[in-house]
Amino acid sequence: MTVIDISPSVMQFLLAFIVVGPLLGAVAALLPAPPGLKGRNPDQAVLRHGVTVTGAVLIAAIVLAVGFDHDHPATMQATTDISWIPALDVRIHLGIDGISLPLLVLTALLTFLCALYSYFKPPAGPSPKAFVALVLVLESGTLATFAVLDLLLFFLAFEMVLIPMYFLINRWGGDQRQAAAWKFILYTLLGSVVMLLGLLLVGLKSGTFDMVALATDNGRGLTTSVQVIAVLAIGLGLAVKTPMWPLHSWLPDAHTAAPTVGSVLLAGVLLKMGTYGFVRILLPAAPDGMRTFAPYLAAFAVVGIVYGSLACLALARTGAKGDLKRLIAYSSVGHMGFVLLGIATMTPTGVNGALFANIAHGLITGLLFFLVGAVKDRYGTADLDTLAGATGAALYGRAPRLGALLAFAAVASLGLPGLAGFWGEMLTLFGAYSPAEGLSRPAFRTFMAIGAFGTLLTAAYMLIVVRRVCMGEHALPARTTPATTPAPSATPGPPQTPATTPTPAASPTPGTLQAPTTPGAPQAPPAPQLADVQPYEAAAWTPLVALTVLAGLWPAVLLGLTDPAVQKLLSGGKS
């Protein structure tokens, strides 16, 4: 069933435009604007160009989704297959199925929302021309990763996103941006070198780099030892990008230093590339190798779940000087742990849960980073102790709509039933309860129990964040002796007379938030009211809120796409 019947040639053109369009737009952004399009402000003109290009790509992705044959989501559609390097049998092979289509639409949506947000609030830094061009190159590389069906093209697209993200962090980031950018690119490049060796091993030993052919062969053309080596090499590169504990340490620094748009794209899109590679390449092409490493992958995943949650709890506690952006980054380590656990079960239930959690994480964490960026812009800091301090900083009182949105995103992130975050975690845990044949049930049920404990920790730190930031913290006044009562003298002598008479403090102005005071302490001025959600912010955040609710209330929209494709992938290309 298709909502609108679109011819295969138009579908091919749409997919090719989605991949190549942002790249052409990046080139155009660096060229001088035509006289009629310069407008009064050249910077605004190039930012408007970014909104236009990403909007066109989003419309093409929506039309592609509307024309997609939902009765056959396991079949590759909108395919293009052209020989590119005959000597290596490398082909420009594009196509989408029920696994890649949701990721394609999510990437196009998040990039458009970031461009729209940047148009009204440009990031502080160098010329917007370079910023827009880098965002568009990043979008092109990410979309290509989800659309290509050739191993070497996958690697090129996978690497294409590194340089734009490096410069976005390094040139438009905050404190410690240079160190964070270097850490990001060194980790990912080292992982990619090992991954390339694994991809070449699979392609040369099987005689093809075609991902569809490899999935259909289902590892029958590769010996078990080759599969084990390939999974180790490719999985290492994918695990860095995911990021899997203990290869995650670049992520908190990158998120903390990145601009708001960079954090949204990094969490909402780039992390999905690693888990997508596990599902698209390793599960179907090297099943024996994956079965060997599945228990270890699951163990690292649940350690990441608990570690990320404990790190967030440590950052959220009073006096820790924790950064709210850093806390959300560590929460991503835990959430992506659920995705890896679902993949490690090698069951349709677990893999469907992993793919659902991928999309849910992109929506919810993208929204969280937008909101944290807005809070930081208003307060000038993301330090939790400052945000929750006794200065009338509670968001509910100063910016109620912003506070309500932050609370909504937090409870969605902790997996509240009825919102998108719930289904991915639940299906992942169900998959771990009954893993694939050949995997240890006691071990995976232990992993399931640890993962379930991780959901409790997630709820704990998210509720602490809501309580501290949205409701505020006010210290109780310390007990003191009245100022008029003289303290007993240690030595005999005449009683001392106070030099000054205390004056009563002025009464607070009605309608202002007044912090509790301690007698004798300097009085802080009343905290001013903050700007609440602006129209451009509402335009950028509303789609994420709506989709989070839709995916939570109607999960069949997504599962109906992914389940047939996953069944075919795990069964060796048989529908």
Side-chain angles (χ1 to χ4, degrees), residues 39-346:
R40 290 177 296 177
N41 187 337
D43 289 348
Q44 288 297 103
V46 73
L47 290 169
R48 185 169 60 246
H49 169 78
V51 176
T52 304
V53 174
T54 56
V57 171
L58 176 60
I59 291 172
I62 293 172
V63 174
L64 190 71
V66 168
F68 186 82
D69 185 358
H70 291 259
D71 284 338
H72 302 90
T75 304
M76 283 295 171
Q77 303 179 34
T79 55
T80 300
D81 193 359
I82 304 169
S83 179
W84 184 35
I85 307 175
L88 296 176
D89 193 28
V90 178
R91 309 181 68 81
I92 299 177
H93 192 182
L94 305 177
I96 54 167
D97 63 357
I99 293 172
S100 51
L101 179 62
L103 291 167
L104 208 73
V105 176
L106 175 68
T107 301
L109 173 65
L110 283 176
T111 313
F112 170 71
L113 296 180
C114 286
L116 182 66
Y117 185 85
S118 300
Y119 176 75
F120 291 97
K121 188 165 187 60
S127 164
K129 273 192 172 188
F131 175 82
V132 170
L134 289 170
V135 169
L136 291 175
V137 172
L138 183 70
E139 180 183 28
S140 180
T142 311
L143 291 168
T145 302
F146 300 137
V148 298
L149 297 172
D150 183 275
L151 288 181
L152 292 185
L153 275 185
F154 175 85
F155 176 78
L156 292 177
F158 196 85
E159 295 304 289
M160 185 176 167
V161 303
L162 299 185
I163 300 302
M165 183 53 70
Y166 167 79
F167 281 110
L168 285 174
I169 297 172
N170 196 14
R171 302 300 300 276
W172 286 271
D175 297 337
Q176 306 295 322
R177 59 181 182 270
Q178 291 185 350
W182 273 109
K183 196 170 185 180
F184 161 76
I185 201 164
L186 286 177
Y187 264 76
T188 49
L189 277 178
L190 287 174
S192 298
V193 170
V194 182
M195 184 177 74
L196 177 60
L197 297 176
L199 293 173
L200 291 173
L201 176 66
V202 170
L204 294 175
K205 289 293 185 180
S206 63
T208 180
F209 288 99
D210 187 87
M211 292 157 68
V212 177
L214 288 168
T216 304
D217 186 65
N218 203 222
R220 286 181 286 269
L222 300 173
T223 64
T224 301
S225 59
V226 169
Q227 289 189 38
V228 168
I229 296 171
V231 169
L232 182 61
I234 299 172
L236 187 64
L238 297 174
V240 171
K241 186 67 72 74
T242 298
M244 180 185 78
W245 181 91
L247 305 173
H248 68 283
S249 61
W250 61 269
L251 183 71
D253 293 338
H255 270 308
T256 305
T260 297
V261 167
S263 292
V264 171
L265 293 176
L266 182 58
V269 175
L270 263 67
L271 303 189
K272 313 299 174 284
M273 295 164 62
T275 52
Y276 175 78
F278 275 104
V279 175
R280 177 65 72 196
I281 299 174
L282 293 183
L283 276 178
D288 293 337
M290 275 296 294
R291 198 169 286 107
T292 300
F293 282 106
Y296 303 102
L297 180 63
F300 284 128
V302 296
V303 170
I305 292 170
V306 175
Y307 170 83
S309 300
L310 292 177
C312 290
L313 282 171
L315 289 170
R317 75 178 191 275
T318 304
K321 292 293 180 183
D323 187 282
L324 189 53
K325 285 187 74 176
R326 196 174 188 87
L327 185 146
I328 304 302
Y330 272 111
S331 78
S332 292
V333 176
H335 289 304
M336 297 312 289
F338 279 103
V339 178
L340 290 173
L341 177 61
I343 294 170
T345 66
M346 299 183 68

Side-chain angles (χ1 to χ4, degrees), residues 390-432:
T391 56
L395 273 181
Y396 285 158
R398 301 184 63 184
R401 293 183 183 87
L402 184 60
L405 280 173
L406 183 61
F408 168 83
V411 297
S413 182
L414 62 84
L416 185 73
L419 298 176
F422 170 74
W423 295 106
E425 294 180 2
M426 187 194 72
L427 289 172
T428 294
L429 295 177
F430 278 172

Side-chain angles (χ1 to χ4, degrees), residues 74 215-218 220 564-575:
T216 304
D217 186 65
N218 203 222
R220 286 181 286 269
V566 168
Q567 298 275 3
K568 181 178 179 180
L569 211 63
L570 294 177
S571 63
K574 300 173 185 177
S575 301

Side-chain angles (χ1 to χ4, degrees), residues 349-409:
T349 302
V351 176
N352 276 303
L355 294 172
F356 199 105
N358 247 349
I359 301 298
H361 178 264
L363 294 171
I364 297 168
T365 308
L367 177 61
L368 274 170
F369 276 115
F370 267 134
L371 294 168
V372 173
V375 170
K376 187 174 182 179
D377 290 337
R378 286 159 170 77
Y379 284 105
T381 181
D383 178 73
L384 269 169
D385 287 337
T386 303
L387 297 178
T391 56
L395 273 181
Y396 285 158
R398 301 184 63 184
R401 293 183 183 87
L402 184 60
L405 280 173
L406 183 61
F408 168 83

